[in-house]
Amino acid sequence: NLLMTATPLAMLSSEHVFADTALVIEWHSFAMFAPSFFTGIVIRRVGVMPVILAGFTIQLAAIAVALSGIGLGHFWLAMFLVGLGWNLGFVGASTLLVTVHAPSERNKVQGANNFIIFGAVAIGSLSSGALHHFFGWQWVNLGALPLVVIAFMAVSWYAVAERRRARA
């Protein structure tokens, strides 16, 4: 969210026209939602943890692309990857969330989870403009980097713990 909401500002300050910005956001939105037709199938086939980790890996690739330049292709690919990574991470994490709780807990847990997620999204949305204004596009991406790395490490730790628990 931090990257997506700062992208139009970064593109404007990089002198891209509005039509280019609209194209980038359209493809970002497509990458966020279109894979949902297949994400569940992929989760059933390879498991939820690899899908979540793939989402974070794609997010890291998106940051690398965004840091590598400010051309239209850089913005387009970075935002497409952000959307795809978000899809895999969000759908995977939502799937995991409902599988680790008893049926009687699921609605409350899902509600609390959504509150936390959308609270963080609001903070990211509000922060992105200020980050871009005061520090620039590169630092917006560098600011997102530790968040993705921490999430990747937490999911990796959980995956290893689950494998150990399954072997015991």
Side-chain angles (χ1 to χ4, degrees), residues 25-141:
I25 298 303
E26 286 169 7
W27 278 98
H28 167 74
S29 298
F30 176 81
M32 283 179 69
F33 299 109
S36 295
F37 290 109
F38 309 103
T39 307
I41 296 166
V42 174
I43 289 171
R44 279 192 296 275
R45 186 166 293 208
V46 301
V48 68
M49 301 311 276
V51 170
I52 296 170
L53 291 171
F56 289 137
T57 301
I58 292 168
Q59 292 278 337
L60 291 171
I63 293 169
V65 170
L67 288 169
S68 71
I70 56 170
L72 178 59
H74 294 98
F75 282 112
W76 179 86
L77 183 57
M79 286 304 103
F80 185 85
L81 292 173
V82 165
L84 179 59
W86 176 87
N87 179 279
L88 297 176
F90 186 79
V91 173
S94 296
T95 301
L96 180 62
L97 185 69
V98 299
T99 61
V100 297
H101 292 283
S104 62
E105 301 172 321
R106 289 182 184 158
N107 290 337
K108 289 180 184 177
V109 170
Q110 188 69 46
N113 182 63
N114 287 346
F115 178 78
I116 292 166
I117 287 173
F118 294 114
V121 165
I123 291 168
S125 291
L126 294 170
S127 302
S128 67
L131 280 172
H132 183 268
H133 176 73
F134 290 110
F135 301 107
W137 177 240
Q138 300 288 0
W139 281 99
V140 172
N141 285 281

